[in-house]
Each structure stands twice: as structure tokens, then as C-alpha cells.
Amino acid sequence: MRLSRKSDIDKSIIILIEDEPAIADTVTYALESEGFTVEWRNTAHEGLELIQSSGANLVILDIGLPDMNGFDVFRKLRALSSVPVIFLTARNVEIDRVSGLEMGADDYVVKPFSPRELTARVRAVLRRSLQTGSVSVDSCGPEVGPFLIDTRAWTVTYHGKNLDLTRHEFGILALLLKHPGQVFSREQLLSHVWDEPEHRLDRTVDAHVKNIRFKLRKIDNQSDSIKTKRGVGYFFSSQK
Ligand code: CA
């Protein structure tokens, strides 16, 4: 789902997370009549699930969602993916706008907005992300050694081979790879990667790390990239 040419803007897949059906209908209609494909989800959980399973070229995210605040959704998304995000906000207070952009969102639209305005913003953001290249493979740079992570397709290759990871395994590994040497506690990993971290236990993380290590060793039996910091948590290091 990578955008490589300008004409590909029109084939973009846009995920819309919005709980009000009337707004969702308007947005979907406006964007689809321009040729975009729109996938609508009305809760944060379903939206995140879809983004993680299918990928998208752009996400339109309502701030007032029934199950999770849009800012929290955004933080979870940004821990792993650089997909462009446009916020929809109904609260006409400056702070929403400011914090939306301070968090690194690409743009925002205040309700009520005209379909034409939104469509123009969508095009502008897609064009910009094409120019800056943030829509291509999101590699982590030289420190990651044999790893190549594609946050758009939610895949990681290791020594050129695709790692068959579950959504949460991907989340943990991507986060560790993006911050070489930084130790993450089990609690931090839970809150970054899981939708409902309060219902999970530390040993959930341990079990997932064990699975990731197992999968790495199936490709390289000497693999020791995910290290344990005793009593603290886990970190990534390419050093032996
Ligand atoms: Ca709402």
C-alpha cells in the first residue's frame, strides 16, 4: 500500500474513525466521489484494528470517540506508524487544535466543515507525504542492522526474510527497534502496544517477547537482538 507516483494519490485508501453516522456518510460520500477508497469504523478499537491489519495511506480521526479519546488513539498509532492523520474536532476550543498539531498530526478540520474543505485537506496532506517521502518504507536506519521495518504494511523483515508476527508482537518489536538501546518496562510496552493495557499482565509481555525471540531464532539461531534488562524490561541492541 505504498504511494510511489503522484497519480497514486487518487487510489489512496483512507480509514475514517468517526462515531457519528451522519458525518461518516458525508465524509465517505465526498471522498469516494473523488475516487478515494474509504473504510469507516465507528470505534477507536475497530479503527486501530483495521489500520494494523490492512494499512492505510491516510487516517481521518475524530477526537470524541465513545471508547477512547482521539489523542490516545493517535499516540498509539504514532508509536508504530507514520501514516498521515487528519483530526476531526467538534470542540471549538483552541487547545484541541493546538494539541492536535503539537502531537504531530498532519492537519485538522473543525466541525461543521464542508466536504470540499475536507477533500482539499486530504489531497494536500497526501501530496505532502508523497513529497517528504514519509509514505515510503519507514526504515529505522543503520542501527537496526538486519531488520527492515515497514510501518505502513506492518511487516518486519529480518535478514531479508519476512517475520510472521501477530499484531502485538509487531508492536513490541517495532517500538524496540525504533529506540535502540532504550529500555522499555513491561508497563510501558503494555501501554504503547495494547488497546486495553489495564486488563493485561506483565507476563503477557514476557510471553510475546518469548515468541518474538523464537521467530528471530528460526531465521538466525544466534539471534540475541532483544535483550532483557533484569528487573526493568526489554531493549533492542544489535551488539552481541
Ligand atoms: Ca464524535
Side-chain angles (χ1 to χ4, degrees):
M1 217 159 301
R2 251 161 265 150
L3 298 177
S4 53
R5 296 187 309 277
K6 281 206 187 305
S7 61
D8 286 346
I9 285 182
D10 295 326
K11 294 183 208 130
S12 297
I13 294 172
I14 297 168
I15 293 181
L16 167 66
I17 311 177
E18 164 64 66
D19 60 316
E20 287 171 63
I23 294 174
D25 279 350
T26 309
V27 170
T28 303
Y29 180 78
L31 293 172
E32 288 195 336
S33 27
E34 297 266 321
F36 298 111
T37 301
V38 180
E39 293 284 345
W40 170 44
R41 292 295 182 274
N42 58 8
T43 64
H45 285 122
E46 287 175 275
L48 281 170
E49 186 94 43
L50 181 66
I51 292 165
Q52 295 182 4
S53 62
S54 72
N57 302 114
L58 181 110
V59 176
I60 299 175
L61 178 60
D62 182 31
I63 291 174
L65 291 166
D67 55 336
M68 203 190 290
N69 168 321
F71 295 125
D72 291 337
V73 178
F74 182 74
R75 257 191 298 271
K76 280 182 190 296
L77 191 55
R78 266 298 167 271
L80 300 168
S81 169
S82 54
V83 63
V85 174
I86 296 178
F87 275 126
L88 297 183
T89 175
R91 289 194 285 154
N92 203 6
V93 279
E94 203 60 32
I95 191 145
D96 268 357
R97 302 179 168 199
V98 171
S99 51
L101 295 178
E102 271 180 355
M103 288 176 78
D106 296 272
D107 207 346
Y108 63 89
V109 177
V110 180
K111 297 176 185 175
F113 51 84
S114 74
R116 191 186 290 252
E117 181 192 357
L118 180 69
T119 308
R121 303 273 180 127
V122 164
R123 282 198 179 279
V125 168
L126 285 170
R127 211 174 299 123
R128 211 156 59 213
S129 68
L130 257 182
Q131 279 161 2
T132 60
S134 66
V135 181
S136 60
V137 172
D138 192 359
S139 155
C140 295
E143 299 99 320
V144 296
F147 291 93
L148 183 68
I149 169 174
D150 184 345
T151 48
R152 206 148 295 267
W154 299 86
T155 57
V156 181
T157 56
Y158 182 52
H159 291 296
K161 289 185 182 134
N162 190 44
L163 280 168
D164 185 20
L165 302 170
T166 66
R167 173 184 162 198
H168 292 124
E169 288 164 9
F170 173 86
I172 293 172
L173 184 58
L175 188 64
L176 295 177
L177 289 175
K178 286 189 156 200
H179 304 88
Q182 182 179 335
V183 180
F184 286 86
S185 68
R186 292 168 178 83
E187 203 173 43
Q188 285 173 319
L189 289 169
L190 281 172
S191 77
H192 272 103
V193 177
W194 271 262
D195 293 341
E196 293 172 315
E198 61 280 8
H199 302 312
R200 305 291 170 171
L201 300 168
D202 286 0
R203 64 171 176 270
T204 310
V205 173
D206 296 338
H208 280 76
V209 169
K210 196 175 157 193
N211 288 340
I212 295 168
R213 285 173 168 158
F214 177 76
K215 290 175 180 179
L216 295 177
R217 285 185 191 135
K218 278 207 297 195
I219 293 173
D220 170 12
N221 61 13
Q222 302 291 307
S223 173
D224 184 28
S225 299
I226 307 304
K227 305 198 190 286
T228 305
K229 183 80 177 172
R230 209 171 286 278
V232 188
Y234 297 102
F235 67 105
F236 162 71
S237 169
S238 53
Q239 266 125 54
K240 293 279 172 195

